[in-house]
Amino acid sequence: MKISLIYETASLGGLDMLWESVRFQTMLSEDFELIIVDDWHKQRQDALADYLQGSDLRCTHIPPKQTGVSYHNSASFNTGLALAMGELVIFLVDFVWLPEDFLEWHWRFYQEHPGYSLSAYVDRYKYPPIVDGKLTIFDEWFDRAYAEKWLVDGNLIYQERKGGTLNREIARGVYEMSGNRIYMLGDSVPLAVMKELNGWDERYDGGYSCNDLDIGLRANMLGWKFAVDLTAPTLKKLGDKSMAHLLPTIKTEFVRQPEDNYRMFQERIKAINEGREPIAVPDGRGAWA
């Protein structure tokens, strides 16, 4: 197994986009798996199972290990990580569209640049007209034809380019990217590295607009590196934080503000650098322990 895609969501809809873009990947279907960690698992497991019947793609649909009222996407990613079998792992959130060569790029990059994995740029677009449903909430099923119609410059909100940061050039058009710019939205990382890190740090869950802030830096501390390739395909994503109220979602509460999570991040990195805490997530708040 080359790649495990771990997709976490607390929103209705979006599974049409995910599935339609994943099933047309140029990578052979036996070389990757899709793990969907879904807060709406109970409400749409039957609908998804009916839709996937007969498909040769490997898909696992499960609820997160942690539920309730607080924001918990680090715990959701850890739920998927515990089942992952791919050599590389890519993390995704709802309403994303993967260009058809997205997985091939990540795998080829990983093979051609030992010690590095690919960090993806992201283009964000407006939502199509929203109606009602479970697998989709748009006025049309979001397939390749709809993607070609909707994912155009006229619907573009902005392009995320990691603040324009480009570190050392390691190959023509390929630049090393510091772990503090790795948001794990379409970025890949070896499963072996994630196991050394014990996955995502769930103490960040509950923070507004944040998950584990230090995961990229902790990977750097182990010696793993990330890079961007300016010619690589960008991940397509609908919406931004300001539009979240438009979606039918599981309502979760935020118990901390962004500055609170950032303060936790600073304290965590300081403790690691001073040898008071391990690089791996301490037992009880990671993926495997």
Side-chain angles (χ1 to χ4, degrees), residues 47-196:
L48 184 61
D50 289 344
Y51 178 68
L52 300 184
Q53 190 171 9
S55 172
D56 60 352
L57 292 184
R58 198 175 319 215
C59 180
T60 303
H61 182 220
I62 53 174
K65 65 178 180 179
Q66 177 178 324
T67 57
V69 297
S70 65
Y71 187 73
H72 51 260
N73 69 336
S74 289
S76 293
F77 281 142
N78 279 344
T79 304
L81 264 177
L83 301 178
M85 296 184 292
E87 186 170 344
L88 275 183
V89 180
I90 298 176
F91 298 97
L92 301 170
V93 295
D94 49 16
F95 300 103
V96 291
W97 182 269
L98 284 63
E100 63 182 15
D101 56 348
F102 191 79
L103 299 187
E104 286 281 9
W105 262 93
H106 277 267
W107 183 254
R108 185 171 63 248
F109 186 93
Y110 170 66
Q111 296 294 301
E112 293 176 352
H113 302 281
Y116 288 88
S117 53
L118 185 63
S119 177
Y121 283 154
V122 181
D123 295 334
R124 289 182 177 262
Y125 297 84
K126 295 183 291 188
Y127 290 118
I130 296 174
V131 287
D132 192 14
K134 290 183 178 179
L135 305 185
T136 186
I137 56 168
F138 300 133
D139 60 340
E140 296 181 36
W141 189 259
F142 207 113
D143 56 14
R144 286 200 293 182
Y146 197 79
E148 291 176 2
K149 178 175 68 173
W150 191 260
L151 301 176
V152 296
D153 288 349
N155 290 324
L156 189 66
I157 303 172
Y158 65 91
Q159 297 175 305
E160 295 180 355
R161 297 296 181 264
K162 301 182 185 295
T165 301
L166 292 174
N167 294 347
R168 181 175 67 94
E169 189 173 25
I170 63 172
R172 186 176 179 84
V174 178
Y175 297 86
E176 191 171 316
M177 184 61 57
S178 172
N180 64 2
R181 295 285 183 177
I182 302 302
Y183 313 128
M184 291 299 180
L185 176 54
D187 302 324
S188 55
V189 62
L191 179 61
V193 172
M194 293 306 299
K195 287 185 175 180
E196 282 193 72

Side-chain angles (χ1 to χ4, degrees), residues 240-272:
D240 59 22
K241 196 67 180 177
S242 69
M243 300 177 178
H245 65 283
L246 300 173
L247 300 172
T249 65
I250 296 285
K251 298 302 180 184
T252 53
E253 297 177 0
F254 298 101
V255 297
R256 293 185 305 277
Q257 294 300 309
E259 55 268 23
D260 299 320
N261 264 22
Y262 186 68
R263 192 177 305 111
M264 290 167 57
F265 158 76
Q266 290 177 307
E267 293 169 354
R268 171 80 164 117
I269 296 301
K270 186 173 186 291
I272 293 173

Side-chain angles (χ1 to χ4, degrees), residues 178-180 182 213-222 226 265 269 279:
S178 172
N180 64 2
I182 302 302
L213 297 178
D214 57 49
I215 193 165
L217 281 180
R218 290 190 294 115
N220 284 170
M221 291 175 176
L222 292 177
F226 303 90
F265 158 76
I269 296 301
I279 296 174

Side-chain angles (χ1 to χ4, degrees), residues 24-54:
F24 288 110
Q25 289 295 301
T26 55
M27 178 174 279
L28 296 177
S29 60
E30 61 261 30
D31 288 338
F32 68 93
E33 65 176 341
L34 173 62
I35 301 172
I36 301 173
V37 185
D38 187 6
D39 275 45
W40 292 92
H41 178 267
K42 182 178 180 180
Q43 291 89 337
R44 58 183 174 187
Q45 60 180 329
D46 292 341
L48 184 61
D50 289 344
Y51 178 68
L52 300 184
Q53 190 171 9

Side-chain angles (χ1 to χ4, degrees), residues 65-66 78 198 200-203 281-289:
K65 65 178 180 179
Q66 177 178 324
N78 279 344
N198 193 20
W200 295 69
D201 193 337
E202 295 173 16
R203 76 170 180 171
V281 177
D283 290 356
R285 61 183 203 227
W288 290 278

